Amino acid sequence: MFYWIMKHIVVGPIVLAIFRPWVTGLRNIPATGPVILASNHLSFIDSIFLPLVVDRTVVFLAKSEYFTGKGLKGWATRMFFQAAGQLPIDRSGGKASEASLNTGLRVLGEGQVLGIYPEGTRSPDGKLYRGRTGVARMVLESGAPVIPVAMIGTEAVMPIGSRLPRIRRIGIIIGEPLDFSRFAGMEGDRFVLRSVTDELVHHLRRLSDQQYVDVYASSVKEQRASQSR
């Protein structure tokens, strides 16, 4: 109910009126049943705009740190992410990664829409980076249809490090569902996982028209951070 009120009455109408996002391909999202929306990731606000334009509730998996802050700021952050329909996950690796996978599978098992970013983190420079194979495991283990989504121009509205958004129009392109049924039962094969992930990212590149870089975005961020010290 809180999510519905924020989306349809409090926040949603205001945000949509200010930024006037253009959207294509909404018909590609099934009206019922589990589905994975796999999107490129340019800005923090990607997780806000995509759920606002989709009729169904979209659940994202967010860093658990967003839900554990102290004081007024921590409370406000927690309320914001809950209003955006996001679930806390531990991204520290190992068993935490398995827990994230299980959380995503539970969402899909309940017949919901799961939003996920194959790159694993925001692009540091607007380019499209190598995908993480966790999304492929989720696709193959759940059997849910996966739909590529391209966010357009969101990095110009709220670049990494900015606190307030700039008022500019953004776009969202929703592609046609991808069929990976030929790999059913092969989620334990790392070469299959890489193949599925690369194919998905290829479709994202075609939709978004971004320049592709065959390294992980997180590696680029770490390298830049070490150079700035």
Side-chain angles (χ1 to χ4, degrees), residues 97-229:
S97 297
E98 194 69 23
S100 300
L101 173 67
N102 292 335
T103 300
L105 291 174
R106 176 174 59 80
V107 170
L108 294 169
E110 295 171 351
Q112 300 189 66
V113 180
L114 178 68
I116 193 168
Y117 300 114
E119 294 168 275
T121 187
R122 285 174 288 176
S123 170
D125 50 18
K127 298 175 183 177
L128 184 67
Y129 285 88
R130 197 171 196 233
R132 300 280 183 175
T133 57
V135 63
R137 281 192 62 191
M138 206 169 291
V139 168
L140 297 184
E141 290 196 24
S142 68
V146 56
I147 298 176
V149 177
M151 306 299 295
I152 309 295
T154 53
E155 78 283 9
V157 172
M158 196 165 187
I160 292 178
S162 61
R163 294 187 177 183
L164 295 174
R166 304 165 184 171
I167 299 178
R168 299 185 183 184
R169 200 174 188 194
I170 64 105
I172 302 174
I173 303 174
I174 301 170
E176 296 182 355
L178 304 179
D179 181 14
F180 294 109
S181 60
R182 63 191 184 278
F183 297 118
M186 303 174 69
E187 59 270 12
D189 188 322
R190 63 188 180 92
F191 295 106
V192 168
L193 294 180
R194 174 46 57 191
S195 177
V196 170
T197 303
D198 289 347
E199 183 176 338
L200 174 55
V201 172
H202 169 72
H203 282 277
L204 289 177
R205 178 173 60 176
R206 291 181 59 186
L207 290 177
S208 67
D209 200 29
Q210 291 171 270
Q211 179 182 342
Y212 176 70
V213 183
D214 194 24
V215 297
Y216 293 120
S218 57
S219 299
V220 175
K221 289 183 176 181
E222 291 170 2
Q223 183 180 25
R224 292 184 178 185
S226 63
Q227 291 175 346
S228 63
R229 290 171 187 164

Side-chain angles (χ1 to χ4, degrees), residues 7 16 21 23 26 48-55 172 174:
K7 176 177 178 176
L16 294 177
V23 187
L26 276 173
I48 299 174
F49 279 107
L50 183 54
L52 285 180
V53 302
V54 175
D55 289 337
I172 302 174
I174 301 170

